[in-house]
Amino acid sequence: MIHYKTKEEIELIRKSALLLSAALAEVAKSIKPGMSTIEVDAVADKFIVENGGVPSFKNYKGFPAACCISVNEEVVHGIPNKYVLKDGDIVTVDCGVFMNGFHADSAYTFAIGNVAENVLRLMGATKASLYKGIEKAIVGNRIGDISYAIQEYTEKERGYGVVRDLVGHGLGRNLHEDPQVPNYGKRGSGPVMKEGLVIAIEPMINLRKKDVEYLEDGWTIVTADNSPSVHFEHTVAVGKGKADILSSFTDIEREEKNNPELNTNY
């Protein structure tokens, strides 16, 4: 069942989303080689809590941290640990915030130092595909229009692997709600989008093949061929004629550019 939100509820989700975006900007400010992923998680966790939010992922089905932090071939759901970031790594920080009764969800992939050119191109294409999908999140379109736009841009035009096992989703009072929002599919398929629908659009794109494997920790999902994977995500309200992006990358991108340890050439 799809739960449509009122305008007032969408504004509450926006507050959660903007706090989340600010937390990811704090990560962008501090992330660097020599930092462990558990230290990265602590930055976001502390910021969210100090600003009146609750990390949505923490204790969700037993997940032990505020953020999923996935490095290089890890696609999603990486558990923050003692792994120390190094020059050449790419790091996805995927996080949620619960505040005023509503969840928001967003993810951003960072490039640490001298990242390979083909991986930087993958980052650029994945981020661009997020906005290609968002352009289709308008009243009267179908979910498949979002899916098709992402797949067309990344897989069909550029030869990357679009992960099938993991999808975007509705969200609101619950972290995961209907409908599912795949990153692959046919135009004109799936549910018709109506005003009041809030969804997380989140392309997860592999450098080579689409196939993934699940690690024994019960959470971490990696590419089957060990190629790098990139993930960007926004919380979006479907709108009349234009989608309303409730989260924001503006402050994240500013801090990313100001951090000399990060590579923004993508």
Side-chain angles (χ1 to χ4, degrees):
M1 180 184 294
I2 295 175
H3 299 284
Y4 297 98
K5 280 74 181 177
T6 65
K7 290 180 180 179
E8 292 76 16
E9 288 173 334
I10 288 172
E11 290 310 309
L12 292 175
I13 297 172
R14 191 191 310 275
K15 288 182 180 179
S16 297
L18 291 178
L19 172 55
L20 173 52
S21 300
L24 291 175
E26 286 297 304
V27 170
K29 185 187 299 184
S30 60
I31 195 168
K32 62 183 179 180
M35 196 174 188
S36 69
T37 58
I38 203 164
E39 289 173 325
V40 174
D41 179 72
V43 171
D45 193 348
K46 183 172 184 285
F47 186 89
I48 291 166
V49 172
E50 287 182 348
N51 286 278
V54 175
S56 297
F57 296 1
K58 202 166 191 178
N59 301 317
Y60 178 75
K61 296 184 178 179
F63 191 78
C67 302
C68 297
I69 301 183
S70 308
V71 182
N72 298 328
E73 75 279 1
E74 294 174 349
V75 181
V76 287
H77 303 163
I79 300 174
N81 54 37
K82 294 179 181 179
Y83 177 83
V84 175
L85 299 174
K86 63 182 185 299
D87 184 73
D89 283 342
I90 60 168
V91 189
T92 297
V93 182
D94 181 6
C95 201
V97 161
F98 180 74
M99 190 168 65
N100 300 317
F102 290 92
H103 293 273
D105 195 354
S106 185
Y108 202 93
T109 300
F110 299 98
I112 309 288
N114 296 300
V115 171
E117 286 295 327
N118 61 343
V119 179
L120 292 173
R121 287 194 294 272
L122 172 65
M123 289 179 65
T126 304
K127 193 176 189 181
S129 78
L130 170 60
Y131 291 100
K132 295 285 185 182
I134 289 171
E135 286 175 4
K136 302 300 181 182
I138 57 176
V139 173
N141 277 358
R142 291 181 178 268
I143 291 293
D145 298 324
I146 296 172
S147 308
Y148 178 86
I150 293 170
Q151 184 181 18
E152 178 76 9
Y153 190 81
T154 56
E155 188 173 270
K156 294 180 180 177
E157 294 182 11
R158 287 162 179 78
Y160 297 132
V162 175
V163 175
R164 274 31 173 203
D165 296 47
L166 304 147
V167 297
H169 51 91
L171 76 169
R173 293 192 182 278
N174 299 300
L175 181 58
H176 294 100
E177 297 181 356
D178 290 334
Q180 292 192 344
V181 186
N183 297 305
Y184 63 95
K186 296 179 180 179
R187 282 182 292 199
S189 66
V192 175
M193 289 180 279
K194 301 176 182 178
E195 197 167 14
L197 177 62
V198 176
I199 52 178
I201 302 177
E202 48 177 323
M204 291 157 275
I205 312 297
N206 300 343
L207 183 63
R208 291 192 285 270
K209 295 181 180 179
K210 66 181 184 296
D211 307 287
V212 298
E213 295 178 351
Y214 295 71
L215 298 189
E216 290 182 1
D217 64 19
W219 286 101
T220 310
I221 298 172
V222 300
T223 57
D225 60 8
N226 291 315
S227 66
S229 186
V230 173
H231 178 199
F232 286 96
E233 176 183 15
H234 269 312
T235 295
V236 178
V238 170
K240 290 181 178 178
K242 185 179 181 181
D244 184 4
I245 306 174
L246 304 180
S247 47
S248 173
F249 286 167
T250 302
D251 290 347
I252 303 170
E253 290 167 340
R254 184 191 68 242
E255 297 298 347
E256 184 185 31
K257 287 183 172 64
N258 289 337
N259 185 339
E261 305 292 351
L262 296 180
N263 190 330
T264 58
N265 296 317
Y266 61 89

